[in-house]
Amino acid sequence: MAAQGPGGRCPSVLPLLLLGLAAAAFPPPPAAASEPPPAALRAGHAASSLPAAAAAPRTRYLLYDVNPPEGFNLRRDVYIRIASLLKTLRKNENWVLVLPPWGRLYHWQSPDILQVRIPWSEFFDIPSLNRNIPVIEYEQFLAESGGPFIEQIYVLQGYAEGWKEGTWEEKIDERPCIDQLMYSNDKHGYYRGWFWGYEETRGLNASCLSVQGSASIVAPILLKNTSAQSVMLDRAENLLHDHYGGKDYWNTRRSMVFAKHLRVVGDEFRRKFLQSTDEADGTQYKEDWTQMKVKTGTALGGPYLGVHLRRRDFIWGHREDVPSLRAAVKKIHSLLETLKLEKVFVATDAVEEEIELLKKLLPEMVRFEPSWEELELYKDGGLAVIDQWICAHARYFIGTSVSTFSFRIHEEREILGFDPKTTYNRFCGETEKNCEQPTHWKIVY
């Protein structure tokens, strides 16, 4: 471990139940595995035609996926949209959300580490999610539903004709697919695709929905147009929030509590290297998020500056509002002097050459630098969570323009009760004429 890493490994707190479920989900493949499931399990099979015993109230499963290039933090935002849809569906029927396994993300580039089929429990607290909506891991879905079949896949897309400015309306229609489907038919007529790295998963039916609107606009389709027990929405990022920044939004966001084993690692790092504890910083945390309502401005934060410095693709993708390293360091030194702080915690995706330059220009810098064992244990997603958790507890935070990584830190600090002036800040580009600071989205209880 590097000098700036935590003192030791924190054992991963993974529910042992998943091990049993995983075993149940993958029995030895019998000859019937390539056979279609019973007719009663196929999409479009009317509930009225089922035997009386099968016509009893049943659980329906909602699955979803996101455009492959999208990152960890945008996917967290899509979860909030889908949670709103699930709440709408549950007003009529018993639906459960199946959490899409993590893996194969653009920013997760650590070599020689298997990062597919990762359950949500590696990064988030599942009981906390369940206090908002009923959710299950994908392998639990496999065990409950009787096999790796998804009865209906809807690929969400825009409208081929687009929309004219000033004539926005919410609408949804089943339309021909605009782009080639990311699924192919096998010799049995099943749809095969990525399916979060579960190659044995099969789709029975697939079609495209052109959609223009908020998440719950899909509800009538799922309630009236299909009786499939399991329905997957692919390209779910095409749905908008039902009520961005409202009570429902914040309830779902608050329920997205980081996994405790990652919070423990971050807290130990804060204590050991940044002289930061919840007691001293005014950031006491309740395990039950429904019982946590903090008055804005009551959190003080640890005696350090928190920084998120996005590099790599942002250097060329957002050139005007992303500063050079030297300009960023100049701003950091200015803030340290103004705030009378001596340490700065930096979360960054900078390449090794830039890291070395930062160490020279910014000797006050502290970073979480995991050992190989910790990297393998927590994975890139876990390290991102630890970085965000530490930044969320800083006395003052400054992030990168339009970065969802920074946005999620803003929300975490809002939940903890920080003064907005210490949270909604970003670096400015050297040639940027109007350096507008991030919008304050006030928490709603």
Side-chain angles (χ1 to χ4, degrees):
M1 165 181 294
Q4 292 160 334
R9 290 178 60 185
C10 173
S12 177
V13 181
L14 297 177
L16 295 177
L17 177 61
L18 288 181
L19 297 176
L21 291 175
F26 300 103
S34 61
E35 297 295 324
L41 294 181
R42 297 177 192 167
H45 196 96
S48 60
S49 67
L50 297 179
R58 59 171 183 165
T59 297
R60 298 185 71 185
Y61 299 97
L62 179 64
L63 304 92
Y64 75 97
D65 203 359
V66 178
N67 192 25
E70 302 294 356
F72 184 55
N73 292 290
L74 185 280
R75 290 168 185 264
R76 290 169 61 187
D77 187 74
V78 173
Y79 170 84
I80 298 177
R81 307 175 209 179
I82 297 298
S84 288
L85 168 59
L86 193 88
K87 290 177 182 179
T88 300
L89 292 170
R90 286 182 59 78
K91 293 176 182 178
N92 297 274
E93 296 178 347
N94 181 33
W95 286 79
V96 172
L97 181 62
V98 181
L99 300 168
W102 299 95
R104 205 172 71 172
L105 300 190
Y106 167 76
H107 290 101
W108 294 359
Q109 298 183 0
S110 293
D112 304 321
I113 294 179
L114 184 63
Q115 301 199 73
V116 293
R117 296 190 177 201
I118 303 173
W120 276 58
S121 58
E122 293 256 356
F123 307 134
F124 298 96
D125 183 66
I126 304 302
S128 293
L129 296 177
N130 269 297
R131 290 189 179 101
N132 181 53
I133 58 169
V135 301
I136 59 174
E137 299 276 20
Y138 185 69
E139 293 196 355
Q140 185 176 342
F141 162 74
L142 293 177
E144 288 186 10
S145 63
F149 298 101
I150 298 174
E151 296 174 35
Q152 177 65 54
I153 300 169
Y154 287 122
V155 180
L156 305 183
Q157 61 184 13
Y159 282 83
E161 64 271 25
W163 63 281
K164 296 180 180 179
E165 190 172 352
T167 60
W168 172 267
E169 62 174 328
E170 293 212 342
K171 56 183 179 178
I172 185 168
D173 297 283
E174 190 158 352
R175 291 282 186 88
C177 299
I178 298 172
D179 299 319
Q180 183 176 348
L181 280 178
M182 299 296 289
Y183 302 92
S184 59
N185 282 113
D186 64 16
K187 61 182 181 181
H188 300 290
Y190 294 128
Y191 288 92
R192 311 299 290 261
W194 162 239
F195 292 121
W196 315 283
Y198 287 81
E199 296 178 356
E200 66 277 17
T201 298
R202 305 161 175 84
L204 303 191
N205 298 283
S207 58
C208 290
L209 294 175
S210 286
V211 61
Q212 184 174 285
S214 53
S216 288
I217 197 173
V218 185
I221 300 287
L222 305 187
L223 294 171
K224 299 176 182 178
N225 289 27
T226 177
S227 61
Q229 187 171 14
S230 54
V231 182
M232 174 182 171
L233 301 179
D234 200 355
R235 296 300 302 273
E237 77 280 357
N238 283 300
L239 297 173
L240 304 177
H241 285 281
D242 279 350
H243 304 287
Y244 186 83
K247 183 177 184 294
D248 179 63
Y249 173 94
W250 277 107
N251 279 349
T252 300
R253 179 59 185 85
R254 290 164 62 210
S255 76
M256 299 180 76
V257 175
F258 290 139
K260 188 167 185 178
H261 66 281
L262 298 177
R263 288 184 279 128
V264 167
V265 173
D267 289 342
E268 176 60 17
F269 183 89
R270 288 167 50 213
R271 183 194 66 78
K272 188 171 183 179
F273 297 101
L274 296 166
Q275 293 71 55
S276 169
T277 64
D278 286 342
E279 294 74 20
D281 302 348
T283 52
Q284 282 85 356
Y285 199 77
K286 293 185 177 180
E287 290 300 320
D288 183 351
W289 62 268
T290 65
Q291 302 301 312
M292 185 172 171
K293 297 181 180 180
V294 184
K295 185 178 179 181
T296 300
T298 57
L300 174 64
Y304 61 96
L305 173 65
V307 167
H308 171 228
L309 199 56
R310 179 75 176 268
R311 305 298 291 166
R312 302 206 185 202
D313 57 325
F314 264 44
I315 297 174
W316 54 264
H318 301 269
R319 286 185 180 179
E320 286 190 359
D321 52 7
V322 175
S324 66
L325 278 186
R326 293 184 182 276
V329 169
K330 182 178 179 181
K331 177 64 175 179
I332 291 170
H333 278 140
S334 174
L335 286 171
L336 288 173
E337 183 177 352
T338 301
L339 299 167
K340 295 180 171 53
L341 297 173
E342 296 180 354
K343 290 186 177 181
V344 52
F345 177 82
V346 177
T348 183
D349 63 343
V351 297
E352 191 59 37
E353 183 180 345
E354 289 185 319
I355 293 293
E356 293 304 314
L357 179 58
L358 275 174
K359 289 178 178 178
K360 293 178 181 178
L361 298 175
L362 194 63
E364 306 92 338
M365 180 176 70
V366 177
R367 295 177 60 243
F368 181 81
E369 297 180 314
S371 65
W372 168 256
E373 290 77 15
E374 288 169 325
L375 178 58
E376 191 172 30
L377 179 62
Y378 307 133
K379 302 179 175 55
D380 286 327
L383 299 184
V385 167
I386 294 168
D387 273 352
Q388 289 178 317
W389 187 246
I390 297 171
C391 282
H393 287 78
R395 186 73 47 86
Y396 187 100
F397 172 72
I398 183 169
T400 299
S401 175
V402 303
S403 166
T404 54
F405 189 102
S406 289
F407 291 163
R408 301 292 85 83
I409 294 171
H410 295 164
E411 293 166 345
E412 212 65 51
R413 291 175 64 86
E414 185 76 9
I415 292 169
L416 288 170
F418 279 92
D419 186 326
K421 294 178 182 178
T422 70
T423 294
Y424 296 89
N425 309 288
R426 72 166 178 91
F427 288 102
C428 302
E430 289 102 314
T431 61
E432 194 175 1
K433 294 180 180 179
N434 180 24
C435 184
E436 185 176 351
Q437 295 300 296
T439 301
H440 173 207
W441 291 95
K442 183 176 174 59
I443 193 168
V444 180
Y445 293 107

